[in-house]
């Protein structure tokens, strides 16, 4: 999932509080969330939860299944229309496409933070620190 969240730790913390298993990685366009479970329906569930958490932030779910890539905008917990995947990847860092194609793994990305195993306490502290930093700007 492509997001405009500035910090991967914040995205992972929000996902941890909502029990969404993802690995979040920072990019120059915003943090991306790579779903830990790619079983049918799981990426959509993750997009639903994340888009509800980030009500004022666009979320785009990009999926690659059986050689076919799709991109769906999500807003406030609901799909908000498909967009051409090629257009979404055109402005994205090359690592995103490489992960989707299996050339890179999430472990190959820099600054990855997992929501799995993050305690509620740590997640809450990370989000509070991010909120304080945003207010200072």
């Amino acid at each position: 999932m492509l997001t405009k969240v500035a910090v991967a730790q914040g995205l992972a913390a929000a996902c941890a509080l909502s029990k969404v298993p993802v690995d979040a990685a920072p990019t120059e366009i915003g943090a991306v969330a790579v779903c830990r479970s790619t079983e049918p329906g799981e990426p959509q569930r993750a997009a639903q939860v994340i888009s509800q958490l980030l009500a004022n932030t666009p979320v785009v779910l990009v999926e690659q299944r059986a050689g076919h890539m799709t991109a769906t905008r999500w807003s406030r917990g609901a799909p908000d229309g498909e967009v051409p995947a090629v257009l979404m990847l055109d402005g994205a860092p090359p690592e995103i496409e490489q992960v989707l194609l299996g050339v890179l793994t999430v472990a190959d990305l820099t600054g990855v933070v997992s929501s799995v195993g993050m305690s509620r306490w740590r997640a809450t502290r990370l989000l509070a620190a991010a909120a304080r930093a945003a207010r200072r700007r």
Side-chain angles (χ1 to χ4, degrees):
M1 266 165 286
L2 307 175
T3 74
K4 295 279 186 182
V5 174
V7 198
Q9 283 185 328
L11 181 57
C15 290
L17 289 174
S18 299
K19 296 181 173 50
V20 176
V22 301
D23 292 314
T27 73
E28 60 265 12
I29 63 166
V32 297
V34 180
C35 295
R36 284 277 186 106
S37 175
T38 57
E39 295 297 317
E42 284 301 307
Q44 289 79 11
R45 186 183 79 76
Q48 177 186 20
V49 171
I50 291 171
S51 68
Q52 284 175 325
L53 291 169
L54 307 173
N56 297 320
T57 304
V59 173
V60 178
L61 173 63
V62 182
E63 289 184 281
Q64 194 278 102
R65 291 196 186 273
H68 182 69
M69 205 169 291
T70 60
T72 308
R73 269 190 316 258
W74 284 75
S75 178
R76 300 179 196 271
D80 194 25
E82 284 199 21
V83 292
V86 69
L87 291 179
M88 293 310 305
L89 294 176
D90 183 46
E95 299 85 24
I96 304 302
E97 184 176 0
Q98 292 169 349
V99 168
L100 285 164
L101 295 175
V103 175
L104 289 177
T105 66
V106 177
D108 296 324
L109 301 176
T110 306
V112 175
V113 181
S114 180
S115 68
V116 176
M118 186 182 291
S119 71
R120 291 184 69 77
W121 175 250
R122 180 165 183 247
T124 302
R125 284 183 39 226
L126 285 171
L127 290 174
R132 280 192 303 276
R135 283 193 299 267
R136 287 185 196 134
R137 286 185 225 157

